[in-house]
């Protein structure tokens, strides 16, 4: 059971936090490098950027609606 939960949470963390963060870093830094380079290095930065984006959108939606 622990292995299944680990696989599920690893997929969720990778999909929700790493890829959007890498995409936003790629857009912000001018698209000079390939997006793969942002995915390979700086996983912590990708995670932090995505977490702040999700938290910010949640706070925005909570105040608007």
């Amino acid at each position: 059971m622990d292995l299944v939960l680990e696989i599920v949470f690893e997929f969720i963390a990778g999909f929700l936090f790493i890829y959007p963060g890498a995409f936003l870093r790629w857009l912000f830094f001018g698209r000079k490098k390939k997006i793969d380079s942002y995915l390979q290095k700086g996983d912590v930065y990708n995670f932090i950027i995505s977490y702040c984006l999700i938290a910010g959108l949640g706070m925005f939606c909570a105040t608007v609606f």
Side-chain angles (χ1 to χ4, degrees), residues 16-17 46-56:
L16 288 179
F17 292 116
N46 296 340
F47 183 83
I48 291 170
I49 290 170
S50 293
Y51 183 78
C52 290
L53 177 71
I54 291 170

Side-chain angles (χ1 to χ4, degrees), residues 27-65:
L27 286 175
F28 181 72
F29 289 118
R31 300 179 299 270
K32 294 179 182 176
K33 299 179 187 175
K34 292 185 178 183
I35 196 166
D36 294 334
S37 67
Y38 291 108
L39 284 171
Q40 291 174 354
K41 63 177 183 174
D43 286 341
V44 176
Y45 296 122
N46 296 340
F47 183 83
I48 291 170
I49 290 170
S50 293
Y51 183 78
C52 290
L53 177 71
I54 291 170
L57 286 175
M59 293 296 286
F60 176 74
C61 290
T63 57
V64 170
F65 300 115

